[in-house]
Amino acid sequence: MKRILLIICLGCFLFSCKTRKKIVAKPEEPKTEAIVKTEETPVEVTKPEKVYASDTERYIDIYKAIAQNEMELYNIPASITLAQGILESGSGNGRLSVKANNHFGIKCHGWTGAKIYHDDDKKGECFRKYRDAKYSFRDHSLFLKERKRYAGLFKLKQSDYKAWAKGLKAAGYATDRKYPQKLISLIERYKLYEYDKEVLGDAYKKIKAPEKQPATYVVAKGDTLYSISRRYNITVKELQNMNGLTGTTLSIGQELQVEPSSEN
């Protein structure tokens, strides 16, 4: 009997010990999101585009070779072609050049190709549309070469850009009375005659440099007083004073004095 009681007491003691033992739960491991390593697409390294001081300089750089090629084929000074392109297309920013690759404002005149309609002398006039700007340059060459009223131009020296500029106006290419001066100003400011010289080589005869006079600048699309002042290394205030300007508004084709006269 004593033996039985001893076993019972021992069992109760063990049971009470188990119930009093603090149960310590094993800490859960922090949940972590699975990191999936993927092969990243390498960033494409592109050569930075050439930086130009103005849209006009960019235009010249893009189209100078085409103008020179047209000069070799059709005897039209590259300087004249480039100057006309700059003026007519707003340095490549005009609607006709952007939407139709038409850099010289050539109207349909029996054209059977693609067309675009644009307000010019009249509303909704028909202009030629080209697949690529180079065809506009070729059509410009043919436009001058094949029309009798421009025949006199081809009797002029290819090095005489001034005579060509005046001849275009005399033949009725443009109604703007300042058209020759605008072309000449562009040619001399950007030294476009150098492209004629490259084509003509030894046959090039340099025209006598004009007498020193205050330099002028014809405003092109995108120009500001600040960009013009930087080009000629003067301040905006000086530019305003030389031209009697009180504000900063400019208009395309506006002629500005960019060098002080000797009287100042």
Side-chain angles (χ1 to χ4, degrees), residues 55-245:
D55 289 343
T56 302
E57 290 188 8
R58 181 176 185 275
Y59 185 93
I60 294 167
D61 197 32
I62 293 173
Y63 297 110
K64 61 186 180 184
I66 294 176
Q68 287 180 307
N69 184 60
E70 294 303 307
M71 182 176 180
E72 291 175 343
L73 293 173
Y74 297 97
N75 302 323
I76 301 168
S79 59
I80 287 291
T81 299
L82 285 170
Q84 284 191 282
I86 292 166
L87 196 58
E88 302 286 346
S89 74
S91 297
N93 294 314
R95 179 174 180 267
L96 288 177
S97 57
V98 173
K99 299 288 186 181
N101 286 314
N102 188 332
H103 286 235
F104 300 91
I106 298 179
K107 297 179 182 179
C108 289
H109 299 301
W111 176 255
T112 57
K115 302 167 184 172
I116 186 173
Y117 296 89
H118 180 75
D119 295 346
D120 192 47
D121 297 326
K122 298 178 182 178
K123 188 174 182 179
E125 291 191 89
C126 182
F127 288 83
R128 303 182 183 190
K129 186 175 183 180
Y130 307 94
R131 288 189 295 109
D132 189 282
K134 65 184 179 181
Y135 299 116
S136 176
F137 279 76
R138 174 55 52 83
D139 209 18
H140 169 264
S141 298
L142 295 173
F143 186 85
L144 296 181
K145 192 75 174 178
E146 296 177 352
R147 283 166 173 73
K148 291 183 179 179
R149 62 174 171 159
Y150 298 117
L153 292 173
F154 296 91
K155 297 177 183 179
L156 302 172
K157 293 180 180 179
Q158 294 178 61
S159 58
D160 196 347
Y161 58 84
K162 291 183 179 180
W164 273 81
K166 294 172 184 177
L168 282 166
K169 173 66 175 67
Y173 189 94
T175 56
D176 184 355
R177 60 187 181 83
K178 290 187 177 181
Y179 193 74
Q181 288 75 23
K182 289 178 179 180
L183 293 182
I184 292 169
S185 177
L186 286 168
I187 291 169
E188 293 182 347
R189 185 183 327 132
Y190 295 102
K191 299 182 179 179
L192 302 181
Y193 48 77
E194 292 292 344
Y195 302 116
D196 299 338
K197 189 174 182 179
E198 288 178 7
V199 173
L200 296 172
D202 295 336
Y204 180 85
K205 182 179 180 181
K206 191 172 183 179
I207 304 301
K208 182 181 178 181
E211 294 181 5
K212 181 65 176 177
Q213 57 183 336
T216 58
Y217 177 85
V218 178
V219 177
K221 187 170 182 179
D223 281 335
T224 64
L225 283 178
Y226 178 69
S227 66
I228 297 170
S229 67
R230 287 195 63 188
R231 181 178 294 118
Y232 290 95
N233 196 29
I234 56 178
T235 67
V236 171
K237 189 65 176 176
E238 288 173 330
L239 192 55
Q240 288 175 316
N241 290 340
M242 282 188 285
N243 294 279
L245 302 175

